[in-house]
Amino acid sequence: MSTATLTAPLESRLSTPRKFTADELLTMPDGDQYELVDGELRETAMSLESSHIAIVVAYRLCSFLEAHPLGRVFGEAATYRCFPDDADQVRKPDVSFIRHGRITPDQFEHGHCTIAPDLAVEVMSPNDLYQELMRKLEDYFSAGIPLIWVVEPSARMVTVYEDAGRRTQLLRMGQELTGGDVLPGFVLPLAQLFPETPVTAASSV
């Protein structure tokens, strides 16, 4: 048998990306750092600013829900496996919300959530690619997520997608982010999401 025949299968394996399943993602020691897209791992690291904004959104939602117990808020560790075009697709919104009555006890057990959230929030980081965001939104639309907020800190604006992407609204400073039909009564002024106070370097002693 020739050397070429021996090495060809190895070269083929090296050139083909390893495909993973949603169940395999759960068993990985660092699996919580990734989404699974077309069987490939996608890291979901956030910038410091984006992480802060995601926490602000989650905090404001939780505060609202204390007075209006409509459902539960989840952070970026929550994984969703609810996409009709790919049973192994796994996505991680930076913040998500699911209304009461849709959450069953089994959803709180170890594993990916198999129902689509009512709200998904994505906070953009400087290294995020536009085409990757569009692909993620396509997954969200296919899952029928009724309300999606895409927060862009650098532009100080929020794009709102309602009715699984059929309606779109662009919000800028001076306007308010609302919960629509998903979270009626919720209001978050963008001025509170993007404070004017700049981050300054600590002075040396």
Side-chain angles (χ1 to χ4, degrees):
M1 187 177 292
S2 68
T3 304
T5 303
L6 286 171
T7 58
L10 175 59
E11 292 171 353
S12 176
R13 290 196 299 272
L14 290 176
S15 63
T16 303
R18 165 78 158 87
K19 298 293 185 179
F20 295 91
T21 67
D23 289 337
E24 287 178 307
L25 187 63
L26 291 173
T27 64
M28 295 178 187
D30 57 349
D32 59 345
Q33 300 178 27
Y34 297 95
E35 293 182 320
L36 195 59
V37 182
D38 298 330
E40 298 180 7
L41 299 175
R42 301 284 177 86
E43 193 168 6
T44 57
M46 299 178 69
S47 69
L48 192 64
E49 181 182 29
S50 297
S51 177
H52 170 73
I53 290 175
I55 289 176
V56 170
V57 172
Y59 171 77
R60 292 298 299 267
L61 287 171
C62 287
S63 297
F64 173 79
L65 292 171
E66 286 183 358
H68 308 83
L70 301 174
R72 297 200 184 191
V73 176
F74 303 94
E76 54 85 26
T79 55
Y80 289 88
R81 181 185 183 181
C82 58
F83 307 102
D85 296 333
D86 189 343
D88 276 317
Q89 198 92 323
V90 176
R91 290 296 194 178
K92 295 174 52 182
D94 296 320
V95 182
S96 55
F97 163 79
I98 302 178
R99 294 179 64 92
H100 286 317
R102 298 188 62 235
I103 308 174
T104 56
D106 61 290
Q107 297 293 341
F108 286 95
E109 297 176 0
H110 179 69
H112 308 296
C113 184
T114 56
I115 60 172
D118 294 282
L119 166 67
V121 183
E122 292 293 331
V123 184
M124 301 295 291
S125 294
N127 293 328
D128 287 343
L129 300 177
Y130 178 78
Q131 57 266 33
E132 292 290 344
L133 171 64
M134 290 299 101
R135 174 62 194 279
K136 195 167 190 176
L137 288 177
E138 288 175 4
D139 285 342
Y140 287 169
F141 298 155
S142 73
I145 298 176
L147 182 61
I148 304 166
W149 299 337
V150 177
V151 183
E152 299 183 57
S154 60
R156 302 171 77 81
M157 68 182 191
V158 179
T159 304
V160 178
Y161 298 90
E162 296 181 276
D163 193 20
R166 295 179 181 86
R167 290 180 291 158
T168 306
Q169 182 182 17
L170 181 64
L171 302 177
R172 298 186 182 277
M173 293 294 286
Q175 295 180 288
E176 296 178 330
L177 182 63
T178 65
D181 295 334
V182 173
L183 288 158
F186 176 83
V187 177
L188 175 57
L190 263 63
Q192 296 179 15
L193 196 58
F194 308 116
E196 296 291 344
T197 305
V199 176
T200 57
S203 59
S204 59
V205 178

